[in-house]
Amino acid sequence: MELFKSGNPTLSEKAFQGSMATNYSETMTIRGTLNKFGFMLLMLMGTAYYSWKEFAGGGNVNVLMWTGLIGGFVLALVIMFKKEWAPYLAPAYALLEGLFLGSISAMYNYAFATKAPDLIMNVVGLTFGVAIAMYLLYSFKIIKATERFKSIIMTATAGIAIFYLISMVLRMFGVHLAFLHEGSLMGIGFSLVVVAIAALNLILDFDMIEQASAAGAPKSMEWYGAFGLMVTIVWLYLEILRLLSKLSDRK
């Protein structure tokens, strides 16, 4: 039964099937999931501010950035395989992602201080704007998560992930794909496509959360749903940051 489909590997059918084998007195709700996501977002913003402040004060935030990046990745893998641990590990994931995003955002802000002094503010605003727009488009059924839509977005997401993996391997051998980082027309076009795919993944995430809630997933799975939604938001933020930095390079 293809009940839950999301381009986000953390929000998949398999992740929720096992959790609904028993009746629960308290079940997952959309509001509960969004509330937990909001709580995680506040935690992320808190550690992001800490990293930003450290960089602004002349500190070396490389340790914070790599701790957040590697630690967040490891926790994400653990949560994916041990979804029942999400209530305990999802908040920690948010804290680590905040360290990473705050550090890398501060570095970009410094690098583009002359060309684009409002770069990070614009990235944050666009990320929230896109997320809210996707939620409204889904809520009003303007964009429907049909089976064909899900298949297309999932295939595109997998393709992007494989392409990024290949580019990382090539980079290890000294081969650099310039358009991934430079503001050429091809590079900007590629980033626009990736941003669009990341945004459309939110539609799949919202649909999965709604379907899981309707199917009676246990209350604890709200944390897993919130975690999965945050994974997509973080990806969207990073891709918008990449896109706007490329556009700023062309000035």
Side-chain angles (χ1 to χ4, degrees), residues 45-59:
M45 292 171 64
T47 51
Y49 174 74
Y50 173 77
S51 295
W52 181 285
K53 189 176 179 180
E54 282 293 303
F55 185 89

Side-chain angles (χ1 to χ4, degrees), residues 33-54:
T33 303
L34 294 180
N35 286 343
K36 288 174 174 60
F37 172 77
F39 176 70
M40 290 175 62
L41 185 61
L42 289 176
M43 298 180 75
L44 182 149
M45 292 171 64
T47 51
Y49 174 74
Y50 173 77
S51 295
W52 181 285
K53 189 176 179 180
E54 282 293 303

Side-chain angles (χ1 to χ4, degrees), residues 22-36:
T22 308
N23 292 325
Y24 294 88
S25 58
E26 286 189 286
T27 58
M28 177 182 180
T29 65
I30 297 174
R31 175 174 292 183
T33 303
L34 294 180
N35 286 343
K36 288 174 174 60

Side-chain angles (χ1 to χ4, degrees), residues 98-165:
L99 291 177
F100 169 63
L101 292 184
S103 299
I104 198 169
S105 296
M107 292 177 180
Y108 268 86
N109 184 66
Y110 178 79
F112 288 89
T114 301
K115 290 184 178 180
D118 298 323
L119 175 66
I120 301 304
M121 187 68 68
N122 291 334
V123 174
V124 173
L126 277 174
T127 301
F128 278 109
V130 170
I132 293 171
M134 290 297 105
Y135 182 73
L136 292 175
L137 289 171
Y138 175 77
S139 297
F140 290 104
K141 305 302 180 185
I142 297 174
I143 297 180
K144 297 181 180 180
T146 63
E147 291 304 311
R148 184 177 181 183
F149 177 85
K150 294 175 184 178
S151 297
I152 291 172
I153 300 304
M154 289 173 66
T155 302
T157 302
I160 291 169
I162 293 171
F163 179 78
Y164 277 159
L165 181 61

Side-chain angles (χ1 to χ4, degrees), residues 4-6 8-17 208 224:
F4 308 125
K5 279 189 177 181
S6 172
N8 182 342
T10 66
L11 299 181
S12 62
E13 176 184 11
K14 186 178 293 185
F16 286 87
Q17 278 183 335
M208 184 286 309
Y224 192 86

Side-chain angles (χ1 to χ4, degrees), residues 183-236:
S184 63
L185 290 177
M186 183 177 180
I188 291 172
F190 176 79
S191 286
L192 282 170
V193 171
V194 177
V195 167
I197 297 300
L200 291 173
N201 263 274
L202 289 171
I203 299 294
L204 305 191
D205 295 344
F206 296 142
D207 179 69
M208 184 286 309
I209 292 170
E210 182 178 41
Q211 296 281 359
S213 300
K219 189 75 172 176
S220 62
M221 294 303 289
E222 291 177 352
W223 284 106
Y224 192 86
F227 155 73
L229 188 57
M230 177 158 283
V231 170
T232 304
I233 294 290
V234 168
W235 178 33
L236 178 63

